[in-house]
Amino acid sequence: MLSAVGWGITELKLSAIQDTYLFRPVVTSDAPDLLKLVSQSSGGLSSLQPRLAFLKDYIASSEMSFSGKKPLEDPHKYLLGLFDTRSDRLIGCAAVKTQIGKDSPFINFDIKGDGPDQCLQASSRFTGATEVGSLFLHPDFRADGLGRYLAKVRYLLMASESWRFGDSVIAELRGICGAEGSPLYDHLFEYKLEKSFLEADAEYYDRNPDTLGDIVPIGCIETCEMPLDVKASLGQPHPSGIGAMRLLQREGFIFSGTIDLFDAGPIMSAHRDTIRTIMNAKTGTIIASPSGSQGVPTLIASGKVNNFRAVLTPAKASENGLLVLPEAAHILGAEMGGDVRYWQAEPRRTAAQETLVKAHL
């Protein structure tokens, strides 16, 4: 599930090498730092429980996935960390998961019909899809616009070897929930489980798949008689996740009509090859040059899945290649003259350009 990361959608300003950020796979030695990071969450980050044993298991699974030694048809988890290169501090994380629902049930509610005929029906329609999630950014860095790039690096990972990832890509947004509960969970499940929302949300990820079916309602659940707050929560993101939803929409994700089983958050979906960052990413030759400092913030990725790394750094596209500062190229670990995949934001139009475009519409 996507966290309430307090997305900074303002354009990130990188002026020098000290503003270079590194993205790389999280490894076992990062586990204590990852625990400190996710402990900053206020709840709802179900896929990254703030328990060291849980996180070590997650990282071990991720390391095996990055190694490329697991059969392709098995579920994979790729956990990426975002590091401040000035302090080598882990400040964020994000993940891509494949074959969801294959090793543990991925059951949600489809919203069927509308008006007085609307109902909820348990569904596992996304079994086998690829999911982007487990995204969390440290509160101290949320004003810098880094959330946008932390989300995008997952798409560059997918583009490095697209055949490893399913055609259908989803993102599960956190719904209306918190320490006080969640309207849908409180209405349908609390009396059955006798647990608070946060307790049940945590247990859901550790639950024996054979017993999960015991709590899932069978048949259609009419919504017309539900309390107003429950109906209003269906398919709505948590207020702090509205920015995340907008970023997904900019990538081409749409609401799938399916919601989370407990908190009713919307599940967004897109076709892998139509995700805009994947479509608009360019390839080029990397060139170390002081002129790179005159460039714009650029997300640059090198390698395949088994040696994937990326940086966010100032870079300048030229006829000969992508110019980056030597220090940034070193952090990326890319060979000079080697090919990289990169994404740069389109330059904003001036007022005069906007007037000219509108005149030709």
Side-chain angles (χ1 to χ4, degrees), residues 31 53 61-62 64 89 112 119 128-129 131 143 145 207 221 240 259 286 301 344 350 352:
S61 177
S62 174
M64 179 60 70
R89 178 186 176 190
K112 301 282 190 178
C119 67
E131 180 183 10
R207 184 177 294 277
I221 305 170
S240 59
I259 61 175
I286 191 168
Q344 290 179 323
T350 64

Side-chain angles (χ1 to χ4, degrees), residues 5-45:
V5 293
W7 295 72
I9 309 181
T10 54
E11 188 65 36
L12 182 65
K13 297 180 180 180
L14 303 176
S15 58
I17 187 59
Q18 64 263 29
D19 295 314
T20 294
Y21 295 88
L22 169 67
F23 304 85
R24 65 160 173 81
V26 175
V27 297
T28 301
S29 59
D30 296 320
D33 292 333
L34 182 61
L35 177 61
K36 292 179 183 178
L37 175 67
V38 301
S39 295
Q40 299 283 328
S41 170
S42 59
L45 190 60

Side-chain angles (χ1 to χ4, degrees), residues 147-166:
R148 178 188 192 190
Y149 296 92
L150 184 55
K152 285 181 176 292
V153 75
R154 301 172 301 187
Y155 308 132
L156 293 188
L157 172 66
M158 293 166 62
S160 69
E161 289 183 280
S162 60
W163 52 271
R164 290 184 177 274
F165 305 90

Side-chain angles (χ1 to χ4, degrees), residues 69-344:
K69 296 178 181 178
K70 292 180 67 174
L72 188 62
E73 61 272 14
D74 287 356
H76 290 67
K77 296 178 181 178
Y78 302 95
L79 181 61
L80 291 166
L82 167 60
F83 296 83
D84 181 354
T85 60
R86 291 167 293 186
S87 60
D88 197 32
R89 178 186 176 190
L90 177 64
I91 60 173
C93 62
V96 180
K97 305 174 186 178
T98 71
Q99 301 290 350
I100 59 173
K102 290 292 184 69
D103 57 357
S104 61
F106 188 69
I107 301 175
N108 301 284
F109 282 128
D110 289 339
I111 300 178
K112 301 282 190 178
D114 53 26
D117 298 323
Q118 187 183 77
C119 67
L120 303 181
Q121 187 169 28
S123 166
S124 56
R125 61 179 288 211
F126 287 118
T127 296
T130 290
E131 180 183 10
V132 291
S134 299
L135 191 153
F136 187 75
L137 184 61
H138 193 284
D140 292 349
F141 293 85
R142 292 176 185 173
D144 296 332
L146 284 172
R148 178 188 192 190
Y149 296 92
L150 184 55
K152 285 181 176 292
V153 75
R154 301 172 301 187
Y155 308 132
L156 293 188
L157 172 66
M158 293 166 62
S160 69
E161 289 183 280
S162 60
W163 52 271
R164 290 184 177 274
F165 305 90
D167 292 339
S168 178
V169 182
I170 69 166
E172 187 179 8
L173 285 164
R174 181 187 183 194
I176 306 301
C177 66
E180 70 283 357
S182 175
L184 182 64
Y185 173 83
D186 295 347
H187 180 66
L188 290 181
F189 297 105
E190 187 175 29
Y191 75 96
K192 291 182 180 180
L193 301 181
E194 297 180 342
K195 296 177 184 294
S196 69
F197 166 76
L198 292 182
E199 289 171 340
D201 193 50
E203 185 176 336
Y204 174 77
Y205 276 85
D206 292 340
R207 184 177 294 277
N208 185 324
D210 295 332
T211 64
L212 180 61
D214 295 341
I215 68 167
V216 178
I218 298 173
C220 292
I221 305 170
E222 295 183 357
T223 64
C224 60
E225 298 298 328
M226 288 182 173
L228 289 177
D229 65 329
V230 177
K231 288 194 286 186
S233 74
L234 303 180
Q236 296 301 310
H238 190 279
S240 59
I242 291 175
M245 189 174 194
R246 289 174 180 163
L247 288 182
L248 287 166
Q249 290 170 331
R250 290 178 185 178
E251 293 288 350
F253 284 77
I254 61 172
F255 176 45
S256 66
T258 300
I259 61 175
D260 182 74
L261 189 69
F262 281 174
D263 66 28
I267 295 180
M268 311 290 287
S269 65
H271 188 281
R272 180 198 62 217
D273 296 334
T274 62
I275 294 173
R276 293 198 173 97
T277 294
I278 294 177
M279 292 178 64
N280 297 333
K282 301 175 181 179
T283 57
T285 300
I286 191 168
I287 300 173
S289 169
S291 299
S293 63
Q294 303 170 17
V296 298
T298 306
L299 188 60
I300 311 170
S302 68
K304 300 296 185 181
V305 164
N306 68 340
N307 59 348
F308 182 85
R309 287 172 74 91
V311 293
L312 175 59
T313 189
K316 184 177 181 180
S318 71
E319 293 182 357
N320 298 322
L322 186 66
L323 306 180
V324 300
L325 288 168
E327 296 91 336
H330 175 73
I331 292 171
L332 179 62
E335 295 182 4
M336 292 303 101
D339 288 337
V340 294
R341 180 175 280 102
Y342 66 95
W343 182 90
Q344 290 179 323

